[in-house]
Amino acid sequence: MTPRPVRVLTALLIATAAATVVVEVLNFWYAPDHGTGLAVRTGWAFARTLAWLVLIFQVRRARATAKPLSLILTMTTLFAVGRLIVPATGRPPLPGLIGFGVLALLCLTVVVLLHRHPAVDAHLIHQPRRLTLTRDGLKLREAPPGDPWVLTARLASFSYSPLMLVPALTAAGTLRHQLEWTLAVLFWILAGIAVSYVALLCAFFVGRGSQTARLTLASVTLVVVAFDLPLCGILLGADGLIRDGAPLVVAAALTLYALWRTARSPALAG
């Protein structure tokens, strides 16, 4: 039988996903300008809502990967929704602020339960299944326990691509007023796509304990931040730099910290 704290956690996750949608709808309703930027950012926020369903599935399946996923998801969700609440000019609507406060409280409660409650910790013990070659052929077997900081680094670095593509697509909607930046925005979009493959490859070898992969992923992280933030500031202004640059900085900081922790792990060092 599923422990009561896990059932409560599942209910909270469902409530958080629902609250995310409600706040996004409220913001869209009250927004004075329904331009390209709002459309792209709202679409990204709705896409993040689907990730909550993945987290609910992992909790119900008692997957250990639910912990690092919850950390990344709560932070990026709050940023994704928060930047919708604050308009380019004027004050945020009161219903949106109240909804965001409720969402922030739900996210905090979810993270505390997942990372601090002993019953939940004892429940989340299973690893993802992988195809393994055996004497009887290919079989799905549960992977051995891994370093949770490796999972955190992987998930945080995987978020680079969407966090780059959202401002890039937003900037693409403004090119009619600044055509000289067309090639830069096109390269921005391509870089956002390419970084997902680079992060995937690096993260795979980080899990194998490769020092080179850790250094490469750390270097990629610094390059992504150095490339993305100036473009946000130039093409989207200070408002875009805060809305779209801050989430990337947080994801990058979490990735670098997780890489530092993996380097200190006896099982992965070397």
Side-chain angles (χ1 to χ4, degrees), residues 2 6 10 55-63 123-124:
T2 306
V6 177
T10 303
L55 181 57
I56 293 170
F57 172 82
Q58 292 201 349
V59 169
R60 291 178 63 86
R61 293 283 184 172
R63 296 282 177 80
H123 176 73
L124 301 176

Side-chain angles (χ1 to χ4, degrees), residues 35-48 76 79-81 83-84 158-174 185 188-193 195 224 227-228 231-232 235-236 239-248:
T36 303
L38 180 65
V40 172
R41 288 164 176 150
T42 302
W44 165 237
F46 271 115
R48 295 220 58 77
T76 53
F79 271 111
V81 177
R83 63 186 170 188
L84 292 175
F158 291 166
S159 68
Y160 293 168
S161 181
L163 290 176
M164 292 177 68
L165 288 174
V166 168
L169 293 175
T170 301
T174 68
V185 171
W188 196 357
I189 294 173
L190 293 176
I193 297 172
V195 76
V224 164
F227 174 80
D228 193 80
L231 287 175
C232 283
L235 295 175
L236 302 177
D239 174 69
L241 183 61
I242 295 172
R243 287 171 179 248
D244 300 303
L248 181 63

